[in-house]
Amino acid sequence: MKDRDLKTKLLSAPYLVWSVIFVVVPLLVMAYFALTDANGSFTFDNIIHVKNYADIFLRSIIYSIAATLICLVLAYPIAFSISQCNPNKQRVMIMLVMLPMWMSLLLRTYAMMGILSDNGILNSFFTAIGLGPFKMIGTPGAVIFGMVYNYLPYMILPLYSVMCKIEKSTIEAAQDLGCNAFHVFAKILLPLSLPGIASGLTMVFVPSVSTFYISQKLGGGLFDLIGDTIERQFLGSTGGKNLGAAISLILMILILICMAIMNEFTDDDNEGGGVLF
């Protein structure tokens, strides 16, 4: 037993070292700058000044929630459809879902700019059928659309990983007992897929609420999100990094609160089966 514990500690040592260097140390550095001024003196002024950016926090949260819910609505039927395919088709479909993730977010966002621009593919199509052109770039819809496009795979993958474990015989049994499609979804699929939903919501919301490049390019610089504000503080005048660190610290706390709430839906108790009535 002691040898096994020693081996476990040795195997986990690289991970612990990695976590300390790239997680703990950066967090401590961020906390230091957030609680000091440009001269290195301790102060709470940076934390207090964060309240001046409450409207940007609110906008970031609203956009992120909208993008996350749209991703859920789109990803749920996609993940279920993939989980019902044979194993070979599942591998192909998952590869297609992951394929856009192999490209840089910068390239994907630039591609969206070309599609949504005044002379882009969509407006060319709308103009051809007499419905356009429409103003897309520089609107909240374009920013949310960019979030959905970039982060949709992060919703599909956790949903798929949960749904592929749902036995088809469970659904067939529910149908044999008289459940229609709605009851199968409400009493079987939804309860069993709750852990995947919670994971997907977290994986989409966290990068969405802190994004900055998507809003700059697709929003035309008209809709500052919290990520834009943090970037501007660090690239701005002397002392801006302290306020930027304070904003980052508050954002991290909000994200941790959201993750703690989501974790309540991923407990072992929520991994049980559905209930038939």
Side-chain angles (χ1 to χ4, degrees):
M1 181 64 68
K2 291 182 178 180
D3 292 339
R4 182 179 300 177
D5 293 340
L6 179 60
K7 290 180 180 179
T8 301
K9 292 179 180 179
L10 290 175
L11 290 174
S12 63
Y15 170 76
L16 294 176
V17 173
W18 178 277
S19 299
V20 170
I21 295 176
F22 294 102
V23 178
V24 177
V25 172
L27 288 178
L28 292 176
V29 172
M30 179 180 66
Y32 168 78
F33 281 109
L35 297 174
T36 57
D37 58 19
N39 298 319
S41 302
F42 179 81
T43 180
F44 281 112
D45 289 345
N46 298 317
I47 302 296
I48 296 173
H49 287 161
V50 173
K51 67 181 181 180
N52 297 329
Y53 300 93
D55 57 332
I56 298 178
F57 268 100
L58 182 60
R59 183 186 301 121
S60 300
I61 292 173
I62 292 174
Y63 284 16
S64 301
I65 291 176
T68 303
L69 294 179
I70 293 172
C71 283
L72 176 61
V73 172
L74 294 176
Y76 201 96
I78 294 174
F80 178 74
S81 298
I82 296 175
S83 68
Q84 298 303 299
C85 297
N86 62 60
N88 289 332
K89 288 185 178 180
Q90 287 186 26
R91 285 190 286 269
V92 173
M93 296 300 292
I94 290 299
M95 184 190 70
L96 293 177
V97 169
M98 296 179 63
L99 192 60
M101 300 169 64
W102 297 355
M103 295 184 295
S104 168
L105 183 142
L106 185 149
L107 294 177
R108 297 199 303 269
T109 304
Y110 265 109
M112 282 296 101
M113 291 177 63
I115 293 174
L116 300 178
S117 65
D118 294 342
N119 299 318
I121 297 174
L122 283 180
N123 268 324
S124 297
F125 171 75
F126 290 140
T127 300
I129 62 176
L131 296 178
F134 298 104
K135 175 66 175 177
M136 298 183 190
I137 296 292
T139 63
V143 177
I144 295 174
F145 182 82
M147 292 179 181
V148 172
Y149 170 70
N150 281 287
Y151 302 128
L152 181 61
Y154 296 106
M155 182 69 74
I156 295 176
L157 294 178
L159 284 173
Y160 162 76
S161 66
V162 171
M163 290 182 175
C164 67
K165 298 176 183 177
I166 300 177
E167 296 290 343
K168 294 183 179 180
S169 58
T170 304
I171 299 176
E172 293 172 354
Q175 294 171 338
D176 291 340
L177 292 174
C179 286
N180 55 31
F182 174 77
H183 286 102
V184 169
F185 168 75
K187 304 302 180 182
I188 301 296
L189 293 179
L190 186 60
L192 291 177
S193 60
L194 278 179
I197 292 175
S199 297
L201 291 176
T202 302
M203 292 178 66
V204 173
F205 177 79
V206 170
S208 295
V209 76
S210 57
T211 189
F212 62 95
Y213 190 79
I214 296 174
S215 54
Q216 291 177 10
K217 297 303 179 182
L218 299 183
L222 301 176
F223 306 96
D224 270 356
L225 300 184
I226 199 62
D228 303 313
T229 303
I230 294 172
E231 181 195 30
R232 188 164 52 250
Q233 292 297 327
F234 277 97
L235 297 179
S237 60
T238 303
K241 61 184 178 183
N242 299 93
L243 180 57
I247 298 173
S248 301
L249 184 63
I250 298 300
L251 178 61
M252 184 190 70
I253 294 173
L254 291 177
I255 290 175
L256 289 176
I257 293 174
C258 293
M259 292 180 66
I261 295 174
M262 291 301 174
N263 284 337
E264 294 297 321
F265 295 95
T266 57
D267 292 339
D268 294 337
D269 294 340
N270 289 323
E271 297 181 3
V275 180
L276 292 177
F277 291 106

